[in-house]
C-alpha cells in the first residue's frame, strides 16, 4: 500500500530511527515454534511503529501478519516501514478488544501467534502535542486515537472529586489521590485545565516534599491514571485477552509485554486461569474436557536485562509473559 509522507517525517526520522522494540529477541524466540515451518498467521495487537512486526515478517517468510492500532499515525508510519511485506500484511485501524471482529472480517478462524506490547507507544511519547509526556508542556489530550471523544482535559474539568480520586488511586496507585483531586477541583474553578504545564506545577505544589524526594516525579502517577482513563486501557485489555486466547490454534503462542502492575495483573490472571486444571482436586484422574488449555512459557514475569535497559531505557519497566495453547478451548 502506498503511504503518503507527512511534512514532519524528515525532521522526526523514520519509524526505524524513532523506535527500538522492547524484548525483541526474546519475543521472536518465544513465538518462533508456532510460526516456523509453514504458513502461519500472527496478530500484532499493538502495532505501533512496526518494530516487532518487521522482525517477525523478516524471520518467517510464510507468515501473514495482522497489525492492529487505534492510532492512525502509527498505522501510516508502520505501513511505510513494512511496505516490502505488503503481500503478507493486513493493517487495521482498531482497538485490540475488537480482536474477534477483525478476525471475522478477514475470515481467519484461528491464529498461530498473538503479540501485545501494551502501554503508551514511542510515537505517542515522542509527539509533544499528544500530551502524554509530563516533561513537556502540551495540550492535555492523551488520546491514543485522536478521533476519540474524551481527552485528559475533559476528565480533569468535568469529573467529580470522588471520580478523580478513584482513577488516581486505582489507575495511578497514587497515595495522595484525594488531596490531588481536591486541588484539581479548586484550580479548575479558577480556570479550566488545558495544558500539562499548569497541571504539573499544581502537582508539585500538592504532593508533599518528602514524597517528591523518594517517590519519583510527582506527575508520573497522575499522568498514568489520566492516560488509562482516557483510553479505557484496562477495560480494553480485560476484553482483549480472552478473545486473543480463544483464537489461538493448538500449538499457537501468545506473548504479552506489560509496563505496570495493573496491566500485568490482568495478563497474569487470564493466563494462570487457563493454565490450571478444572478437575476437582480430590479426584485422582483428569476429567475429560477439564484439563489446562495453556502451558505457561515463562516462570512468572520476565524482566529486561541490564544490557537492554542500558540500550533502551523504555525497557526498564517491562514484564513479559508468554503461553502456548495445548488444547482447544472448552
Amino acid at each position: 500500500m502506498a503511504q503518503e509522507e507527512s511534512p514532519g517525517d524528515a525532521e522526526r526520522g523514520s519509524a526505524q530511527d524513532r523506535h527500538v522494540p522492547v524484548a525483541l529477541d526474546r519475543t521472536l524466540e518465544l513465538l518462533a515454534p508456532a510460526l516456523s515451518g509453514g504458513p502461519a498467521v500472527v496478530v500484532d495487537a499493538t502495532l505501533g511503529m512496526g518494530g516487532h512486526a518487521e522482525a517477525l515478517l523478516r524471520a518467517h517468510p510464510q507468515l501473514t501478519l495482522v497489525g492492529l492500532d487505534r492510532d492512525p499515525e502509527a498505522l501510516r508510519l508502520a505501513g511505510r516501514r513494512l511496505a516490502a511485506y505488503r503481500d503478507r500484511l493486513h493493517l487495521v485501524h482498531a482497538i485490540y478488544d475488537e480482536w474477534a471482529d477483525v478476525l471475522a472480517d478477514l475470515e481467519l478462524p484461528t491464529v498461530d501467534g498473538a503479540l501485545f506490547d501494551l502501554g503508551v507507544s514511542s510515537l505517542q511519547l515522542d509527539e509533544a502535542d499528544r500530551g502524554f509526556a509530563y516533561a513537556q508542556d502540551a495540550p492535555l489530550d492523551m488520546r491514543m486515537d485522536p478521533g476519540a471523544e474524551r481527552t485528559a482535559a475533559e476528565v480533569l474539568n468535568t469529573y467529580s472529586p470522588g471520580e478523580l480520586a478513584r482513577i488516581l488511586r486505582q489507575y495511578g496507585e497514587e497515595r495522595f489521590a484525594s488531596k490531588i483531586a481536591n486541588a484539581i477541583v479548586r484550580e479548575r474553578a479558577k480556570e479550566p485545565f488545558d495544558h500539562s504545564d499548569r497541571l504539573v506545577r499544581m502537582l508539585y505544589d500538592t504532593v508533599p516534599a518528602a514524597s517528591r524526594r523518594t517517590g519519583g516525579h510527582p506527575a508520573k502517577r497522575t499522568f498514568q491514571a489520566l492516560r488509562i482513563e482516557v483510553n479505557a486501557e484496562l477495560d480494553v485489555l480485560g476484553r482483549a485477552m480472552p478473545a486473543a486466547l480463544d483464537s489461538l490454534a493448538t500449538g499457537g503462542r501468545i506473548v504479552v509485554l506489560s509496563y505496570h502492575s495493573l496491566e500485568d495483573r490482568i495478563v497474569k490472571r487470564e493466563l494462570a486461569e487457563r493454565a490450571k486444571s478444572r478437575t476437582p482436586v480430590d479426584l485422582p484422574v483428569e476429567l475429560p474436557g477439564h484439563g489446562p488449555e495453556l502451558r505457561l512459557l515463562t516462570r512468572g514475569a520476565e524482566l529486561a536485562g541490564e544490557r537492554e535497559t542500558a540500550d533502551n531505557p523504555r525497557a526498564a519497566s517491562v514484564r513479559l509473559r508468554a503461553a502456548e495453547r495445548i488444547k482447544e478451548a472448552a
Side-chain angles (χ1 to χ4, degrees):
M1 67 191 67
Q3 297 289 332
E4 295 183 2
E5 185 164 346
S6 169
D9 283 349
E11 289 83 356
R12 292 191 295 262
S14 68
Q16 291 94 324
D17 295 334
R18 296 164 63 186
H19 174 57
V20 179
V22 173
L24 178 60
D25 291 343
R26 184 59 171 146
T27 297
L28 293 175
E29 176 188 7
L30 286 163
L31 289 174
L35 307 181
S36 301
V41 176
V42 68
V43 178
D44 185 341
T46 49
L47 182 68
M49 286 192 279
H52 289 102
E54 182 181 39
L56 287 164
L57 287 162
R58 184 169 54 236
H60 303 284
Q62 297 185 70
L63 178 67
T64 296
L65 185 136
V66 180
L68 313 183
D69 209 292
R70 67 171 88 187
D71 189 337
E73 178 68 1
L75 289 170
R76 186 184 69 81
L77 289 170
R80 292 178 59 201
R81 179 176 192 166
L82 303 174
Y85 306 101
R86 61 171 61 88
D87 294 339
R88 298 190 280 128
L89 184 65
H90 300 281
L91 300 185
V92 185
H93 181 217
I95 306 173
Y96 42 82
D97 65 346
E98 299 173 84
W99 184 287
D101 292 335
V102 170
L103 294 190
D105 289 344
L106 294 173
E107 299 183 343
L108 295 170
T110 61
V111 301
D112 304 287
L115 172 63
F116 289 81
D117 185 8
L118 300 171
V120 64
S121 74
S122 300
L123 168 65
Q124 291 152 354
L125 284 171
D126 291 343
E127 297 288 342
D129 59 359
R130 303 290 291 274
F132 287 97
Y134 49 78
Q136 300 170 298
D137 186 33
L140 283 163
D141 191 317
M142 298 193 194
R143 292 172 297 174
M144 292 179 176
D145 181 350
E149 294 183 1
R150 181 171 53 193
T151 67
E154 180 182 344
V155 172
L156 289 166
N157 293 323
T158 64
Y159 277 30
S160 70
E163 289 174 317
L164 288 168
R166 176 189 60 80
I167 67 167
L168 291 170
R169 188 177 300 111
Q170 184 175 347
Y171 298 155
E173 300 179 290
E174 174 57 71
R175 292 169 53 202
F176 305 104
S178 295
K179 187 179 180 70
I180 291 170
N182 290 331
I184 290 170
V185 172
R186 286 196 304 272
E187 286 300 310
R188 77 188 187 191
K190 303 173 187 175
E191 182 181 353
F193 284 95
D194 59 6
H195 274 67
S196 57
D197 181 62
R198 181 176 168 223
L199 176 62
V200 171
R201 284 188 278 110
M202 188 216 76
L203 291 167
Y204 260 106
D205 293 340
T206 305
V207 174
S211 178
R212 295 203 304 267
R213 288 192 292 270
T214 60
H217 197 291
K220 179 179 179 180
R221 291 177 294 277
T222 294
F223 270 62
Q224 174 178 298
L226 288 171
R227 191 199 81 219
I228 291 173
E229 175 69 9
V230 166
N231 298 289
E233 291 176 45
L234 299 184
D235 292 339
V236 168
L237 180 60
R239 293 188 292 268
M241 281 294 296
L245 293 172
D246 286 345
S247 74
L248 280 183
T250 302
R253 291 186 168 203
I254 183 170
V255 173
V256 185
L257 309 178
S258 305
Y259 294 88
H260 56 74
S261 61
L262 301 173
E263 293 172 337
D264 185 56
R265 199 173 300 153
I266 293 171
V267 175
K268 176 183 177 181
R269 182 179 67 239
E270 193 67 35
L271 296 183
E273 183 65 27
R274 297 191 186 219
K276 68 183 182 182
S277 170
R278 288 172 290 131
T279 296
V281 294
D282 56 346
L283 290 184
V285 295
E286 190 83 69
L287 290 177
H290 285 63
E293 295 177 23
L294 300 179
R295 177 172 68 93
L296 301 182
L297 300 173
T298 55
R299 188 184 295 273
E302 293 184 357
L303 309 179
E306 291 183 6
R307 182 171 182 176
E308 179 175 12
T309 301
D311 293 340
N312 184 9
R314 288 175 180 169
S317 59
V318 73
R319 298 166 171 88
L320 183 153
R321 295 183 187 270
E324 180 182 34
R325 161 80 72 191
I326 56 175
K327 67 182 287 287
E328 294 297 329

